[in-house]
Amino acid sequence: MKPQEFHDTYWRLIYNFALKQGIAEDEARDIVQETLLSVAKAIREFQYDPERCSFKSWLLSVTRNRVTDHFRRHPREREARHAPPAETARTSTVERVPDPRSLDLEQVWDEEWRNNVVELALEKLKGQVSTKHFQIFYLHVIKQQSTTKVAKALGVSTGQIYLAKHRPKSAFKKALTKLERELDGTRNPKL
């Protein structure tokens, strides 16, 4: 896998995981870069061994280490998150951020991993079907909007929706299955 392809495949996963740890957007982008640099340095020695560790688990470990490093460098962020509430009727932004220690990080990672695979499959699908068919599929199948609502939004008949969603649905399922096999650690993603 080429470095740009690796970045395009995993940046959103790392970014969203960092955000869920309570890290600000600009800092999350830094964590993406730091994680990708760490991966680039270490990937040549990474040996896929399903008995020992999957690539997915290894990438989680690298990402988690970068998040931990971030909090070590910025201890005030962590302290601010645990400060006593202000005497106002409104909840401050800092207090609405979940405490990373209360999160099941592997569950968060798995959820973000799945979301990332779906997004990648949708990107592949865009290049395989017409814009109208993609819109129908996205609104009706992914966003689960009713046929009536989709028909009104796109100016098509409900019959067209039923006909137009089948090809994209099949292509999406194929792309999703292929990506799941490729990204779950069943191959060594050398850069």
Side-chain angles (χ1 to χ4, degrees):
M1 183 179 285
K2 295 178 182 176
Q4 186 61 47
E5 183 182 356
F6 190 90
H7 174 274
D8 294 346
T9 301
Y10 295 105
W11 79 267
R12 186 179 3 220
L13 167 69
I14 297 164
Y15 177 78
N16 288 333
F17 181 78
L19 289 177
K20 288 202 173 164
Q21 304 311 301
I23 294 173
E25 290 180 12
D26 57 332
E27 298 290 333
R29 284 189 285 276
D30 291 343
I31 286 175
V32 169
Q33 295 307 314
E34 291 167 14
T35 301
L36 293 176
L37 284 171
S38 294
V39 167
K41 290 176 185 175
I43 197 75
R44 295 189 197 328
E45 283 79 41
F46 177 79
Q47 295 295 317
Y48 176 66
D49 180 0
E51 298 294 319
R52 188 167 168 243
C53 173
S54 68
F55 176 75
K56 178 181 171 183
S57 296
W58 180 76
L59 185 58
L60 167 59
S61 178
V62 173
T63 305
R64 190 182 315 175
N65 288 341
R66 296 298 69 79
V67 169
T68 301
D69 290 347
H70 169 80
F71 283 123
R72 277 192 203 116
R73 288 190 311 267
H74 303 93
R76 289 190 181 146
E77 264 184 56
R78 180 169 273 163
E79 290 169 15
R81 205 175 295 116
H82 301 293
E87 296 292 327
T88 66
R90 206 173 134 234
T91 306
S92 72
T93 304
V94 168
E95 291 168 6
R96 288 180 297 201
V97 174
D99 180 356
R101 294 176 293 187
S102 70
L103 299 174
D104 177 351
L105 296 182
E106 288 188 23
Q107 181 181 350
V108 171
W109 183 256
D110 288 343
E111 180 183 318
E112 288 305 323
W113 185 275
R114 178 70 179 158
N115 291 342
N116 191 54
V117 171
V118 168
E119 287 297 321
L120 291 168
L122 285 171
E123 287 175 19
K124 287 188 181 295
L125 180 63
K126 278 182 187 177
Q128 297 174 352
V129 299
S130 73
T131 302
K132 183 66 82 177
H133 287 178
F134 180 81
Q135 291 172 327
I136 289 169
F137 174 79
Y138 184 77
L139 293 175
H140 188 59
V141 177
I142 301 298
K143 291 297 185 180
Q144 299 182 336
Q145 293 183 4
S146 70
T147 53
T148 307
K149 190 172 182 177
V150 174
K152 186 175 180 178
L154 299 178
V156 296
S157 71
T158 55
Q160 286 175 297
I161 293 170
Y162 289 117
L163 290 174
K165 78 174 186 180
H166 290 292
R167 181 170 177 252
K169 191 172 186 177
S170 175
F172 177 74
K173 284 182 177 180
K174 285 178 186 176
L176 197 59
T177 301
K178 183 179 179 189
L179 283 165
E180 286 170 340
R181 272 195 322 267
E182 288 177 357
L183 302 179
D184 74 354
T186 57
R187 65 186 178 98
N188 194 346
K190 295 283 186 190
L191 296 178

